[in-house]
Amino acid sequence: MSRSAPGVCQNPDTAAIWPLLLDSTWFAGLAQADQAALLALGRARWLAAGSFVFFRGDPPDGLYAVLSGSVLIGSSNALGKAAVLARLGTGQWFGELGLFDHEPRSHDAYTDEACLLWHATQAGMLALLAQQPEMWPALGRLLAGKTRKLMAGLHQHTLMSSAGRLAQRLLLLADGQPSLRLSQEALASAVGLSRQTCNALLQQLAEHQLIQLNRNSITLLDPAGLARISA
């Protein structure tokens, strides 16, 4: 993957961007003045598949929304072994933690397909929040929702079987989409299993027609069945 600077869309059509932003439950719940401020502050940016939005350790650079495509949140070690923690699809926002603590990015963020993002810079967001401090609670709710989801996942992770953890991670990474693109090595790392064990469990799920293993993706044939395994 490459550290590609996101391409800024010249003269973005805000009339087209507006309904994409409203696909976000969080954005739709903001006061109209706050919605208008974010629309005026942000810029549309394109990223090709396999490009980094930011790296772990980078300085905070503002708030992002996924308008189309998807972004993976994860980390890697010096040997290049990667772990995927979350997949953010259309309507999801990320990057808000740095607005609170001003600390470097805690994880990598990169695209697994061509992606259109909405980006409000760190300096711009902090200036906006100084002018409209009533936005802080809304950002707090955005952060709290992710924290609650993470804690629930950690709690379940300690009680589940290996198959249940794998089913849960598939549902989390797919995030409501019918399929996901992810290497089996990255998936195994995300679940905390060896690649061999993960592959064997994926084959079992496929035999039970819960998933379909494709060359470069995994299709979720029966999300409800996967949810029962991870319950």
Side-chain angles (χ1 to χ4, degrees), residues 81-96:
K81 185 177 181 181
V84 176
L85 302 179
R87 178 178 181 270
L88 306 178
T90 301
Q92 292 189 276
W93 293 73
F94 63 101
E96 71 280 359

Side-chain angles (χ1 to χ4, degrees), residues 7-10 12-13 17 42-46 67 116-119:
V8 179
C9 297
Q10 299 299 323
D13 182 0
I17 294 294
R43 293 292 182 269
R45 295 179 178 269
W46 282 104
L67 300 180
L116 178 62
L117 302 176
W118 190 252
H119 178 217

Side-chain angles (χ1 to χ4, degrees), residues 59-60 97-104 122 126 136:
L97 180 60
L99 295 172
F100 287 90
D101 62 8
H102 310 288
E103 294 293 324
Q122 181 85 353
L126 292 176
W136 278 115

Side-chain angles (χ1 to χ4, degrees), residues 108-199:
D108 301 328
Y110 54 96
T111 63
D112 62 341
E113 56 185 321
C115 194
L116 178 62
L117 302 176
W118 190 252
H119 178 217
T121 67
Q122 181 85 353
M125 282 298 302
L126 292 176
L128 174 62
L129 288 163
Q131 296 172 357
Q132 299 178 209
E134 69 277 3
M135 287 189 65
W136 278 115
L139 287 166
R141 288 192 295 273
L142 180 64
L143 180 59
K146 294 178 182 178
T147 303
R148 186 176 294 276
K149 189 174 183 179
L150 173 63
M151 295 305 294
L154 289 174
H155 173 72
Q156 294 176 2
H157 189 82
T158 62
L159 302 176
M160 285 180 185
S161 65
S162 296
R165 298 205 313 268
L166 178 58
Q168 181 199 52
R169 184 61 61 173
L170 287 170
L171 290 169
L172 177 65
L173 294 176
D175 192 36
Q177 300 300 311
S179 64
L180 65 133
R181 295 174 55 191
L182 187 68
S183 72
Q184 293 188 16
E185 181 178 4
L187 179 60
S189 179
V191 183
L193 300 171
S194 69
R195 183 172 180 176
Q196 294 78 5
T197 299
C198 183
N199 290 348

